[in-house]
Amino acid sequence: LLLLLILLSRAVIWRFVQGRRSSRKAVLLLGLCDAGKTLLFARLLSGRYRDTQTSITDSAAVYRLSRDKSTNVTLIDLPGHESLRLQFLERFKAAARAIVFVVDSVAFQREVKDVAEFLYQVLVDSTVLRNAPALLIACNKQDVTMAKSAKLIQQQLEKELNTLRVTRSAAPTSLDGSATGGPAQLGKKGKDFDFSQLPMKVEFVECSARGSKGEEGEADLEGLEKWLVKVA
């Protein structure tokens, strides 16, 4: 009887968790300004190139993942401006089934600290940690010769995130004894940070929303599209 009760309780918990996950249908597109999120958003939906400008609000649309159109997610492109991105993340994070964090592979070397700072804020968010949505780091603009590879971007991000973690953990405490450095510890204490330590599955993919032939050609989003099908 006890074994039966344990099995039933596990089944109820599993159905509850699965139900909560299935209710989260949004895929959030995050990243700094000019990373290429809005063009990527447009390419996924229509396949066509379009001129874009810095977003000041969110854009959402249903993205069909199969030919019979029975499987879909809601793509939500969030502004990347420093003064806006966290407030929009706050608005949509609870609905996130997955997150696509878009990186400008060409400007990455000079923007690495800003990229890592924003990614750190996402990764230590209590709602993100609790729901553990799948995370893809989309290394965009691979059509440009000077673009950094996904492998190098991963290595540099892990290094910068580890530095941020050390800095935040060393922050002074307030008068009531609470830490002021951040809401959660990133990764495993006593070990250098790497993405495998996170509660969510993290993958990297190289892509190009513009495409090698520019406005007249097709985007190179095959890896991203396969990942979207997998996490739907």
Side-chain angles (χ1 to χ4, degrees):
L1 181 60
L2 179 60
L3 179 60
L4 180 60
L5 287 172
I6 292 172
L7 291 174
L8 284 173
S9 65
R10 286 183 177 179
V12 170
I13 292 171
W14 183 85
R15 288 189 64 183
F16 174 73
V17 171
Q18 288 298 108
R20 288 192 63 186
R21 184 175 183 275
S22 63
S23 67
R24 301 196 303 271
K25 297 288 287 182
V27 176
L28 307 185
L29 302 182
L30 308 179
L32 303 187
C33 284
D34 300 321
K37 301 184 303 300
T38 302
L39 179 56
L40 189 150
F41 176 79
R43 284 287 208 177
L44 285 171
L45 294 173
S46 68
R48 294 190 295 270
Y49 178 91
R50 81 174 194 197
D51 291 324
T52 62
Q53 56 187 6
T54 301
S55 303
I56 59 172
T57 188
D58 60 281
S59 297
V62 173
Y63 175 65
R64 307 293 180 182
L65 291 155
S66 60
R67 291 183 178 180
D68 61 7
K69 299 184 179 181
S70 61
T71 306
N72 62 76
V73 294
T74 301
L75 289 179
I76 307 179
D77 174 27
L78 303 186
H81 194 278
E82 186 177 4
S83 64
L84 297 172
R85 57 195 183 214
L86 290 181
Q87 72 182 62
F88 277 90
L89 175 63
E90 183 68 25
R91 184 182 303 176
F92 292 105
K93 64 186 180 183
R97 185 184 194 85
I99 294 173
V100 178
F101 193 96
V102 185
V103 174
D104 183 337
S105 303
V106 179
F108 177 74
Q109 207 64 52
R110 70 172 183 270
E111 294 181 345
V112 59
K113 292 186 183 299
D114 292 332
V115 172
E117 174 69 32
F118 183 24
L119 185 57
Y120 179 91
Q121 291 171 319
V122 173
L123 294 177
V124 298
D125 181 273
S126 59
T127 300
V128 174
L129 285 172
R130 181 174 64 252
N131 292 340
L135 174 63
L136 181 74
I137 310 296
C139 305
N140 193 24
K141 304 187 182 181
Q142 289 292 320
D143 56 293
V144 181
T145 305
M146 299 300 291
K148 304 302 180 186
S149 69
K151 183 176 181 180
L152 182 123
I153 288 173
Q154 177 177 350
Q155 292 172 344
Q156 289 296 313
L157 279 178
E158 286 177 339
K159 181 179 178 181
E160 288 295 331
L161 288 168
N162 188 65
T163 300
L164 276 171
R165 180 180 66 168
V166 172
T167 303
R168 299 299 172 86
S169 64
T173 56
S174 61
L175 292 176
D176 62 2
S178 61
T180 60
Q185 173 69 38
L186 189 69
K188 294 182 179 179
K189 190 175 182 179
K191 292 187 176 181
D192 287 342
F193 173 79
D194 66 69
F195 285 102
S196 67
Q197 298 168 4
L198 296 173
M200 70 283 288
K201 184 174 178 58
V202 183
E203 297 180 58
F204 284 72
V205 69
E206 295 180 355
C207 62
S208 172
R210 182 177 175 85
S212 59
K213 296 182 180 180
E215 299 178 21
E216 303 302 321
E218 294 183 358
D220 179 11
L221 301 177
E222 183 179 358
L224 171 57
E225 290 171 330
K226 287 182 177 179
W227 181 84
L228 287 169
V229 171
K230 184 169 60 175
V231 302

